[in-house]
Amino acid sequence: MKDKSYYFYQSFRFKRYIIYILITILAIGLPFVHMGEGQVFLISFEHKQIHLLGNIYSAQEMYLLPLLVIFLFVFIFFMTSMLGRVWCGWGCPQTIFRVIHRDLIETKILGLRTQINNKQRPVRSDLKNWLKKIASCILFLPVPIAAMAVLLFYFVPPYEFLEGINAPKEHMLLLGIWAALSAVVFFDIVVVQERFCIYLCPYARVQSVLFDDDTLNPIYDTQRGGLIYDKKDMKIPALPQKRNPANECVSCNHCVLVCPTHIDIRKGMQLECINCLECVDACTMTMGKLNKPSLINWSSSNATSTKQKVRLWRTKTIAYIGVLVLVIGALIVGSLEKASMILDITHGGRLYSVKNGYVKNTYIFLFQNTSSKTHTYTFSIDDPHISIVRPKNPLSIGARGKMKVVVVLRMPMEAAKQAYGKHDVTHAKRGILPIAIKAYSTDDPSITSTQESVFIVPDF
């Protein structure tokens, strides 16, 4: 007979633990990995930057953000329609932290529960167990504190975060956010527990419209095991084998006892199921002792009823892949077209001034150097009659630096009158001459930016 260790190393639980470890290593290590000019991924509110695969985008370059959001949502829809609520059981921090607190600390280390396979048995309320509960909270406390520090690494570069710890008086906001997040997660895992998955998690509500009969879920085979619930979802009093000896379900209830969200998967797919597949492991071990395959499998309704393979690739999932490919393509194109300079032009508060036969306009230019090198910039106007009064010299801007400059342009009155006469004037455009301003780097001709603006003149 196969022992428990054999079933453990073959179980989904063992595979989940490996995935948990890999996710933890990836989450901790990723903020320390640098590519090109920056981190692999960082959203810095302080520096108003987003780092994506080594590229650094400023607040004025957020055109990729909608694509990232679209990619995230479409990917969630794709994964859910194909693999069910697999994120909840295999990748969600809520599940990982509950495994650490409930299964590792409370059960394995402190013995507050007799075994991991029985999550339904209530813990006796006595002094000894209360002390164990307090000890479990103390042992678990470093986990949310460390986890929230890692989360903040994706918003504050790790080395800046560590500097904040060393100078707490200068970084009270950062430390306050860290403490608040840690407290919320600690309360969630220790007090709220799986009720978060059942009542609060919005993903649980979304899954019902994404599932179909080919979505992978833990499915109980009623054809082999026999019905446990009637059509009104009421439990049938008589046990399956008493009703029909051919029914294979032995009513051990191991699949119910092991469920972290306290459901009976034999009732059918339910909102509370997080696809952890603990019920599959429990039934596999029980039926394995009888030399029979499990009655609960990670399969689909169609595959279970027809005894055929699961249809992972179908119209819906292929369509999702098509959308993902398009979004990824747009992200790649957008990344390749990253501007090395951004120019923002605002016309001055005063429309124009006339002095010594010239019409003058004032502007505010905001130059931003988005590259990792210092560059010198200047600009020109497409109308040869317009000259630059201010500034006189090119502007040197450091790497990822900004500079706001007051710009004064002038145009001879006669030239302005002639240009205005040639211009197609409507009532809405009186006194306005369209111009194009080209800014460029004097040390790198490939860095240019052309902006449309206006030069305001009297209504001749």
Side-chain angles (χ1 to χ4, degrees), residues 137-318:
C137 293
I138 295 172
L139 291 175
F140 178 70
L141 184 59
V143 175
I145 293 175
M148 292 305 98
V150 172
L151 174 64
L152 289 174
F153 286 169
Y154 290 89
F155 298 90
V156 180
Y159 301 108
E160 292 184 16
F161 184 87
L162 297 176
E163 289 175 3
I165 296 176
N166 293 328
K169 291 183 179 180
E170 299 174 8
H171 300 84
M172 293 302 294
L173 178 60
L174 174 63
L175 298 181
I177 293 173
W178 184 22
L181 290 174
S182 301
V184 169
V185 172
F186 180 82
F187 180 81
D188 172 42
I189 301 303
V190 174
V191 179
V192 181
Q193 303 176 359
E194 279 73 23
R195 288 184 286 270
F196 178 87
C197 306
I198 299 171
Y199 301 112
L200 300 177
C201 180
Y203 183 42
R205 273 71 190 163
V206 173
Q207 64 173 343
S208 59
V209 299
L210 298 176
F211 285 5
D212 57 35
D213 290 336
D214 291 303
T215 300
L216 276 172
N217 281 303
I219 303 293
Y220 170 69
D221 191 347
T222 55
Q223 296 179 14
R224 287 178 50 213
L227 290 172
I228 308 297
Y229 293 83
D230 60 23
K231 294 181 179 180
K232 296 182 179 180
D233 288 338
M234 299 297 293
K235 194 167 186 177
I236 301 173
L239 299 178
Q241 291 190 333
K242 287 190 175 181
R243 284 184 273 118
N244 184 353
N247 290 334
E248 297 181 30
C249 180
V250 297
S251 303
C252 64
N253 282 336
H254 289 163
C255 58
V256 180
L257 296 174
V258 78
C259 180
T261 56
H262 309 275
I263 65 171
D264 187 346
I265 198 63
R266 297 173 299 176
K267 193 176 182 178
M269 189 57 208
Q270 295 156 72
L271 184 70
E272 298 87 348
C273 179
I274 61 171
N275 251 10
C276 65
L277 307 182
E278 290 276 14
C279 55
V280 178
D281 292 337
C283 192
T284 299
M285 181 180 291
T286 299
M287 299 306 292
K289 295 175 182 178
L290 303 175
N291 295 318
K292 293 181 179 180
S294 175
L295 295 172
I296 305 173
N297 295 283
W298 195 28
S299 183
S300 69
S301 300
N302 280 341
T304 302
S305 60
T306 61
K307 306 302 179 184
Q308 295 178 353
K309 292 183 178 180
V310 178
R311 292 177 60 245
L312 293 177
W313 306 109
R314 49 196 189 275
T315 304
K316 181 193 291 186
T317 55
I318 293 173

Side-chain angles (χ1 to χ4, degrees), residues 23-37:
I23 289 175
T24 302
I25 293 172
L26 180 65
I28 295 174
L30 203 60
F32 294 92
V33 177
H34 284 253
M35 292 176 60
E37 300 177 354

